Amino acid sequence: MKNGKIWQDLNGNDIQAHGGCIINYGGKYYWYGENKGQDNCPGTTRVDVIGISCYSSDNLIDWKYEGLVLKSDKTDEKNPLHTSKVVERPKVLYNSKTNEFVMFLHLDNADYNFSHIGIAVCDKPDGEFELVNVCQPNNHDSQDMTVFADDDGSAYLIHTKDRDATINIDELTDDYKSFTGLHMSAMIDQYREAPAVCKYEDTYYMVTSGCTCWEANSALYSKSPDIMSDWRLIENPCVGENYRLTFNGQCSYIFKADGKYYIVLDHWIPDNLQKSGYSILPIEFENGKMTVAWKDEWLGI
Ligand code: GAL
């Protein structure tokens, strides 16, 4: 699969999984993302909400479309999933205590002034998710976001607040459907977004982008010995041609497969979002330094 381009599923259709995440469950990979599979609304850089797609794969190359696991609402303009809204960056965690899959979403109005989190649950990875909570975590506005589950089962929502000025980290309750109240701010007033988090050898790493809407900018990573304190911005992890613009991409997620870490990028095409491409690139860690080098092709594992 050519990195940076739109990819196709096993039926030959464009994969519609933008701003998404890849999880491993029961020996399979599941890829969730925004389905943007229709024309932009005329003269804008948005598409009406269709819903969240799910794809499954054994090798991270051959993706079977499992359908829309969360559908937009076509009738009630007050519903946060109404087609006229914004539903972005779905991230899914499996909760082994409740045996549920919990999906987190950025829910917004078309003008991005609602800034809430949506939490949806399902008892299967590829079933129909039900929206069970719409809130502002610990009363803070929330836009771009990701989630991270630690080795001890604790899990966190990592999101922008104060209109993207600052990243907040909020601990989730045991069932992942709400917040414990424990939260902290990182990278205060640094205007970073599109967070993606992983843990390597007891250090937490967070890749973020700058805030230039759909246009590419420089990724930066930060690290911390503790998820709840001491985050420090380090530098751009990208190396090689076009590293300054994150290879014309924006981070959406970091996943682990066969003991190695990979970053998923979106390559947005603002005036035709449905054709936005993807890339998956390996992450290297050496002496506490994170690097991501461009590869023309994603060959799976
Ligand atoms: C990006 C953000 C996307 C989307 C877009 C809208 O910066 O990462 O998820 O919200 O802005 O302009």
Side-chain angles (χ1 to χ4, degrees):
M1 287 157 121
K2 272 253 169 243
N3 274 330
K5 304 286 179 214
I6 185 89
W7 294 346
Q8 279 73 40
D9 66 15
L10 287 173
N11 289 326
N13 297 318
D14 288 348
I15 293 181
Q16 290 296 330
H18 308 282
C21 70
I22 293 176
I23 67 163
N24 186 329
Y25 174 76
K28 255 190 178 186
Y29 296 97
Y30 293 89
W31 186 2
Y32 303 88
E34 302 158 30
N35 190 316
K36 293 189 174 298
Q38 62 193 16
D39 290 343
N40 280 20
C41 301
T44 73
T45 55
R46 75 178 295 278
V47 293
D48 276 345
V49 181
I50 298 173
I52 304 305
S53 315
C54 175
Y55 296 82
S56 68
S57 175
D58 294 327
N59 58 7
L60 295 157
I61 283 278
D62 300 308
W63 291 101
K64 175 172 177 254
Y65 184 49
E66 301 287 356
L68 288 176
V69 290
L70 189 74
K71 292 192 183 94
S72 62
D73 175 281
K74 294 187 177 57
T75 52
D76 177 8
E77 280 181 22
K78 292 209 172 71
N79 188 329
L81 300 178
H82 186 256
T83 49
S84 62
K85 309 284 186 188
V86 163
V87 179
E88 292 182 336
R89 295 193 173 266
K91 301 287 173 277
V92 176
L93 290 175
Y94 170 66
N95 187 314
S96 57
K97 291 190 191 107
T98 58
N99 213 14
E100 280 179 323
F101 295 82
V102 186
M103 180 186 289
F104 299 80
L105 306 137
H106 168 200
L107 300 181
D108 230 315
N109 289 328
D111 55 7
Y112 289 88
N113 67 6
F114 182 59
S115 306
H116 276 55
I117 278 289
I119 302 179
V121 295
C122 185
D123 57 4
K124 291 191 293 203
D126 51 0
E128 208 167 309
F129 281 71
E130 186 196 353
L131 192 62
V132 293
N133 192 357
V134 174
C135 65
Q136 291 199 313
N138 294 304
N139 297 320
H140 293 120
D141 61 298
S142 176
Q143 298 194 336
D144 276 8
M145 38 64 70
T146 194
V147 286
F148 175 76
D150 213 338
D151 310 325
D152 62 3
S154 60
Y156 304 86
L157 175 79
I158 297 104
H159 66 96
T160 67
K161 68 153 191 163
D162 298 343
R163 309 290 306 170
D164 283 347
T166 293
I167 297 278
N168 240 39
I169 303 175
D170 301 61
E171 188 183 52
L172 300 174
T173 49
D174 277 355
D175 63 6
Y176 296 172
K177 291 183 219 175
S178 186
F179 300 91
T180 64
L182 182 66
H183 64 96
M184 62 87 64
S185 296
M187 291 171 265
I188 294 168
D189 293 337
Q190 297 301 310
Y191 285 90
R192 307 301 303 168
E193 64 176 11
V197 175
C198 68
K199 184 183 186 180
Y200 179 79
E201 289 183 349
D202 291 335
T203 299
Y204 299 87
Y205 290 80
M206 188 190 310
V207 180
T208 53
S209 75
C211 297
T212 51
C213 300
W214 303 113
E215 303 301 329
N217 55 54
S218 294
L220 288 175
Y221 76 95
S222 28
K223 49 186 233 186
S224 175
D226 177 349
I227 192 152
M228 276 303 191
S229 69
D230 224 16
W231 284 96
R232 291 279 179 272
L233 270 175
I234 311 291
E235 59 186 340
N236 189 338
C238 301
V239 291
E241 202 178 327
N242 210 5
Y243 76 95
R244 279 207 175 90
L245 291 183
T246 317
F247 318 117
N248 287 325
Q250 185 185 31
C251 39
S252 72
Y253 198 66
I254 295 173
F255 68 93
K256 201 173 173 184
D258 280 353
K260 295 203 67 182
Y261 291 84
Y262 299 90
I263 190 160
V264 186
L265 303 182
D266 292 298
H267 296 265
W268 302 113
I269 301 180
D271 57 7
N272 194 12
L273 284 163
Q274 61 184 326
K275 288 289 177 188
S276 301
Y278 310 102
S279 49
I280 298 182
L281 300 169
I283 300 176
E284 303 295 338
F285 296 95
E286 214 183 325
N287 301 326
K289 205 170 139 57
M290 175 190 235
T291 52
V292 176
W294 178 252
K295 303 243 181 296
D296 286 334
E297 256 188 285
W298 165 242
L299 299 168
I301 50 164

